[in-house]
Amino acid sequence: MLKKNSKIYIAGHKGLVGSSILRNLLNKNYKNIITRTKSQLNLTNQKKVFDFFNKEKPEFVIIAAAKVGGILFNKNNKAEFINENLLIQTNIIHCSYLVGVKKLIFLGSSCVYPRNCKQPIKEDYLLSGKLEETNDAYAIAKIAGIKMCESYNYQYKTNFISLMPTNTFGPNDNYDENNSHFLPALIKKIHKLKFNKKNKLLIWGNGLAKRELIYVDDLANACIYFLKKKVHHTLINIGTGKDFTIKYYAKLICKIICPDKKITFVYDKSKPNGTPRKVLNIAVAKNYGWKSKFDLYSSLKLTYKNFLKIDR
């Protein structure tokens, strides 16, 4: 059972999701949190990870560490994505088993589901069809993590569960226009338009692909909720159950960042759209008593406020 003094290790505490989990745990008065930066612990090195686990012996583990990026970055760096993610999650999951971790949460991604999946996407649809080719290497690594958790639970009676979040955004995101996900890229592009005479916004693809978003603090709350909750499922979707087009999100961000400026959208159809539609069925999470709390507009305003504070 998770207690306020339980030893909790967050892998990837500097990233978008990991930093939110850390903030939320501290705000809830959890006092025994273990973290390591990349320079302190190379998660792709099996021996170093084993030595760390053997020394610290955490009781609870959340894997928020991963190599992540947007469509083009995924497509152009497949080898790095599959290799690094497999190494990170394999080392942590196996070492968690070796030292007797009470509960582990592995964070995946909605891209593990087939490209042309029936919508909304149920957990049962995993491995039922072909993946989106622009991020299949990353998806396969994450699928391997899901199956590893399931396999260890089956063979070793561990308590490892996988949470599959939809597209996540919020403070501490990556705003690189080429390597980031679509939402932070849009925020940065639209912010630039606010301060120059140009009024044309370049959007990759045709703008009609539909995406579901979740504010990062919602996801962090889900991680803590399911760390405490006894569950019978090893795979649980985490989302809002609502999706909109890329064009809709662009309009909403324009309204927040530069409401007095008329911006024309230009579509670069030479760039990939990615999966046509991706919205999760979140019935399992709801049946366990969890649901998202943050509304989209307010969350985007908070995200932009944080964007203005960081070094761009």
Side-chain angles (χ1 to χ4, degrees), residues 257-310:
I257 296 177
C258 40
D260 300 323
K261 187 171 185 177
K262 184 172 175 59
I263 294 175
T264 303
F265 297 168
V266 178
Y267 301 98
D268 183 355
K269 295 180 182 178
S270 69
K271 296 291 193 301
N273 273 317
T275 304
R277 188 187 181 204
K278 197 162 56 171
V279 60
L280 297 177
N281 183 310
I282 51 174
V284 172
K286 281 188 172 182
N287 287 339
Y288 281 118
W290 181 87
K291 63 179 181 179
S292 62
K293 296 176 181 176
F294 291 86
D295 72 273
L296 179 60
Y297 190 74
S298 298
S299 302
L300 286 171
K301 287 181 75 173
L302 286 170
T303 302
Y304 182 59
K305 187 178 179 180
N306 175 262
F307 170 84
L308 293 174
K309 293 178 182 178
I310 65 174

Side-chain angles (χ1 to χ4, degrees), residues 136-247:
D136 55 359
Y138 175 74
I140 287 168
K142 287 296 181 181
I143 292 168
I146 296 167
K147 289 300 174 184
M148 190 171 181
C149 288
E150 287 181 4
S151 300
Y152 276 57
N153 290 345
Y154 175 79
Q155 187 170 346
Y156 300 128
K157 310 305 177 190
T158 50
N159 189 11
F160 298 168
I161 68 169
S162 302
L163 299 184
M164 291 302 109
T166 189
N167 295 49
T168 308
F169 72 99
N172 207 23
D173 211 336
N174 168 26
Y175 291 97
D176 186 291
E177 289 177 35
N178 295 312
N179 298 342
S180 66
H181 289 101
F182 83 90
L183 190 90
L186 281 175
I187 288 173
K188 187 165 185 177
K189 286 179 180 179
I190 294 167
H191 175 77
K192 282 183 176 180
L193 287 177
K194 183 177 182 177
F195 297 102
N196 61 41
K197 293 180 181 180
K198 295 179 181 178
N199 68 341
K200 290 183 179 179
L201 174 67
L202 185 66
I203 297 175
W204 285 9
N206 60 17
L208 300 179
K210 298 187 81 175
R211 293 291 180 271
E212 175 187 13
L213 292 177
I214 188 168
Y215 187 55
V216 70
D217 282 4
D218 261 336
L219 176 54
N221 285 330
C223 289
I224 298 165
Y225 183 86
F226 284 104
L227 205 60
K228 297 187 290 183
K229 188 81 174 174
K230 185 177 180 180
V231 298
H232 306 292
H233 293 77
T234 56
L235 176 60
I236 302 172
N237 288 338
I238 302 296
T240 62
K242 301 172 185 175
D243 65 334
F244 304 97
T245 64
I246 304 295
K247 183 179 179 180

